[in-house]
Amino acid sequence: MRGHSTNPAAIEAEIAHLRSLALDALRRHWRVIFGRTPPADLSKDLLGRMIAYRLQERAFGGLDRESLRFLDGLARHGGSPRRRLKPGTVLVRDYQGQRHTVTVVSDGFDWQGATYPSLSAIARAITGTAWSGPRFFALARGNGAPARRNKNASAREGRDGPQPARGMNTSEMNTASLPLQTASHA
């Protein structure tokens, strides 16, 4: 390993050098940087990326406390944090001129007197097509991430705004995209 540097060009050159190393050389590099033997099943690409990250971290600093806490939460819970809706929360959605009210219950979601395991099952029953329940009830954006007001949101929707779901015509879309109303009962 070369000497420590905070010069971005030097770090970039060292990372470029890593890409040219053979697997055995990367394993030796790992032992020097991390002080232990690398996991046996890491690929050359992953070894190089992790070494590069450590070099950048040493030169420019690591993640802030909030980012570390977020990543720790992901590791502990096995995935991205999901929105937790408390029992008693009411979701209201107007679709094709009809109002649909869903109440969160301890073992799922109540809609029209029946309990469903997921919002997606209810969205499918309402529309007759496969929908993401959180997206249908405006709890998530199209990619599954939580919905947030964002000044750049219209840029993500495309030049002409939101597009109708497959199999849905434009008149259905206008009805389907009415705003969500929520109320929570503690």
Side-chain angles (χ1 to χ4, degrees), residues 161-183:
Q163 300 299 310
R166 199 175 300 156
M168 178 187 262
N169 67 39
T170 313
S171 63
E172 289 172 326
M173 187 185 117
N174 292 336
T175 306
S177 59
L178 291 175
L180 167 75
Q181 300 169 3
T182 60

Side-chain angles (χ1 to χ4, degrees), residues 10 12-14 25 28 39 41 43 46 50-51 55 69 73 77 81 119 130 144 148 151 174 176 179 183:
E12 193 173 328
E14 193 163 351
R28 285 190 300 275
D41 52 348
S43 68
L46 196 50
M50 292 174 79
I51 293 169
L55 293 172
R69 200 171 18 251
H77 303 297
L119 288 173
R148 289 193 179 125
K151 67 181 182 179
N174 292 336

Side-chain angles (χ1 to χ4, degrees), residues 85 91 102-105 107-111 114-119 122:
L85 298 173
L91 305 174
V102 174
T103 303
V104 179
V105 293
D107 58 342
F109 302 90
D110 181 75
W111 175 65
T115 301
Y116 290 78
S118 69
L119 288 173
I122 295 170

Side-chain angles (χ1 to χ4, degrees), residues 11-172:
I11 297 297
E12 193 173 328
E14 193 163 351
I15 291 170
H17 172 72
L18 287 174
R19 291 185 190 113
S20 69
L21 295 177
L23 183 59
D24 289 341
L26 281 173
R27 289 184 183 285
R28 285 190 300 275
H29 223 63
W30 176 286
R31 280 190 287 278
V32 170
I33 289 178
F34 290 96
R36 63 182 185 274
T37 303
D41 52 348
L42 284 184
S43 68
K44 177 182 172 186
D45 180 61
L46 196 50
L47 281 168
R49 287 173 187 265
M50 292 174 79
I51 293 169
Y53 176 81
R54 181 56 61 98
L55 293 172
Q56 292 173 69
E57 181 182 47
R58 284 182 177 172
F60 307 116
L63 296 172
D64 60 31
R65 192 172 293 146
E66 182 181 341
S67 297
L68 289 170
R69 200 171 18 251
F70 174 75
L71 292 172
D72 185 53
L74 290 178
R76 288 179 191 275
H77 303 297
S80 63
R82 294 180 54 141
R83 175 172 294 192
R84 303 282 185 227
L85 298 173
K86 294 179 183 176
T89 301
V90 175
L91 305 174
V92 178
R93 174 68 150 83
D94 290 337
Y95 180 77
Q96 293 185 341
Q98 192 173 10
R99 178 155 292 185
H100 300 276
T101 303
V102 174
T103 303
V104 179
V105 293
S106 62
D107 58 342
F109 302 90
D110 181 75
W111 175 65
Q112 295 185 340
T115 301
Y116 290 78
S118 69
L119 288 173
S120 296
I122 295 170
R124 189 172 20 261
I126 291 170
T127 66
T129 61
W131 268 82
S132 158
R135 183 175 183 193
F136 181 80
F137 286 97
L139 298 174
R141 288 191 300 256
N143 64 358
R148 289 193 179 125
R149 289 277 176 210
N150 184 326
K151 67 181 182 179
N152 297 325
S154 62
R156 288 191 194 113
E157 292 174 345
R159 202 176 74 217
D160 300 321
Q163 300 299 310
R166 199 175 300 156
M168 178 187 262
N169 67 39
T170 313
S171 63
E172 289 172 326

